[in-house]
Amino acid sequence: MKKPSTRFVLQTGGAVALLSLPLFAFAQTPPAPAPATTALPAAAAPAAAPAAPAVPSAADGGYLIGLSFGEQIHRIGITNEVSADDITRGLKDALAGRKMAPADQQQLQLFVKSTIDAITARNKAAGKTFLAHNGQEKGVKTTASGLEYQILVPGDTKAASPQPTDTVTVQYRGSLIDGTEFDSSFSRGQPATFTVNGVIKGWQEALILMKPGAKWKVVVPPELGYDTQPRPGIPAGSVLVFEVELQSIKPAAAATAPAAPKTPAALPTRTAPATPAPPATPASK
């Protein structure tokens, strides 16, 4: 996924929250092409450049900054745990020139960590209930790890399943247990291609059981997904629900055998020294 230019980075190990807002981007209009100096056949006039967007007003710009910040907080699962009024109060103080003291930073870290821990616990409890109910549905199978899957389309049952190092192409849709979609190859208009062992554990386990052409519903427990680490659109501790269509498998390339050592070129033949001719016998007188 493409990383957004504005981001709220949360590190649960250090519980560090960082807002990075590149607010200014200056666009330059490309210079008009120089007129031709020689007579050339008439060509179609180039399409007019699109009009530059209007610069937002100060009110609109301020709103967009707040919207961006709030959206990023929401992505990691923080919603009604904080008050918009209190956030506004902090913004006003910062805009007036107040800087965070080390004690403030420590308090922020403690608050973010405790909030994420509470969100994680709440989501895991809800996920446990969801998994227990889903596991009783008709056609759902549960593996030893707790992964739940339902075969919607079996695919080519005679074909081989992917191996961990194979590359697969899939169409998929991912959502939370409340139905909120957080990712979809369908929305992007193209399937995803990756190696099996390069994705979350729940996907790895499911893919090596699937057949080409198969379509499964896969329910991934937190421990086989992102667990306590929040992701954009995925709060910490979330159970993940996927629809996965395995379109194709590309086996890993066989290891290239080392080339045999080259035979040294034949050495030039050493020319034998010429045997000197015997001296001529003097003629008799």
Side-chain angles (χ1 to χ4, degrees):
M1 283 187 284
K2 184 179 179 180
K3 294 182 180 179
S5 58
T6 354
R7 18 178 218 172
F8 183 88
V9 179
L10 178 71
Q11 301 175 347
T12 54
V16 177
L18 171 64
L19 176 64
S20 174
L21 289 172
L23 300 179
F24 303 102
F26 298 94
Q28 294 184 347
T29 304
T37 56
T38 56
L40 296 173
V55 178
S57 65
D60 289 341
Y63 169 78
L64 292 173
I65 291 174
L67 180 63
S68 175
F69 185 38
E71 180 184 9
Q72 293 164 68
I73 295 175
H74 185 272
R75 283 179 179 175
I76 64 171
I78 296 179
T79 54
N80 57 2
E81 289 82 6
V82 291
S83 163
D85 291 339
D86 292 331
I87 293 176
T88 302
R89 182 164 55 90
L91 285 172
K92 286 181 177 179
D93 285 352
L95 291 172
R98 177 180 171 182
K99 299 183 182 297
M100 290 189 71
D104 294 328
Q105 295 174 353
Q106 184 179 23
Q107 288 296 303
L108 174 60
Q109 293 171 6
L110 290 173
F111 172 77
V112 172
K113 184 179 186 306
S114 65
T115 302
I116 294 300
D117 288 347
I119 291 172
T120 302
R122 183 174 69 241
N123 288 337
K124 284 195 172 186
K128 184 177 181 180
T129 301
F130 180 87
L131 288 165
H133 181 269
N134 184 74
Q136 300 302 315
E137 294 291 325
K138 183 179 179 180
V140 174
K141 298 180 180 180
T142 305
T143 68
S145 68
L147 181 76
E148 297 180 355
Y149 67 92
Q150 182 180 11
I151 301 176
L152 306 178
V153 178
D156 185 355
T157 57
K158 295 182 180 180
S161 296
Q163 297 301 306
T165 55
D166 289 348
T167 298
V168 295
T169 298
V170 304
Q171 289 276 24
Y172 70 95
R173 179 180 292 107
S175 60
L176 304 177
I177 60 176
D178 65 359
T180 302
E181 184 176 294
F182 59 81
D183 194 13
S184 171
S185 64
F186 296 101
S187 297
R188 293 193 295 273
Q190 62 180 8
T193 300
F194 49 82
T195 54
V196 174
N197 59 10
V199 290
I200 58 175
K201 293 179 181 179
W203 268 59
Q204 293 184 46
E205 185 175 348
L207 285 168
I208 62 175
L209 300 174
M210 297 179 72
K211 301 291 185 180
K215 180 179 180 180
W216 286 18
K217 176 182 177 182
V218 181
V219 181
V220 180
E223 296 76 15
L224 301 179
Y226 298 109
D227 204 10
T228 60
Q229 302 297 319
R231 292 291 187 273
I234 305 177
S238 294
V239 168
L240 310 178
V241 182
F242 292 98
E243 290 181 9
V244 184
E245 298 178 14
L246 178 55
Q247 294 189 334
S248 64
I249 305 169
K250 182 179 180 181
T256 305
K262 294 182 179 180
T263 303
L267 296 175
T269 304
R270 183 178 180 181
T271 304
T275 303
T281 305
S284 54
K285 295 181 182 181

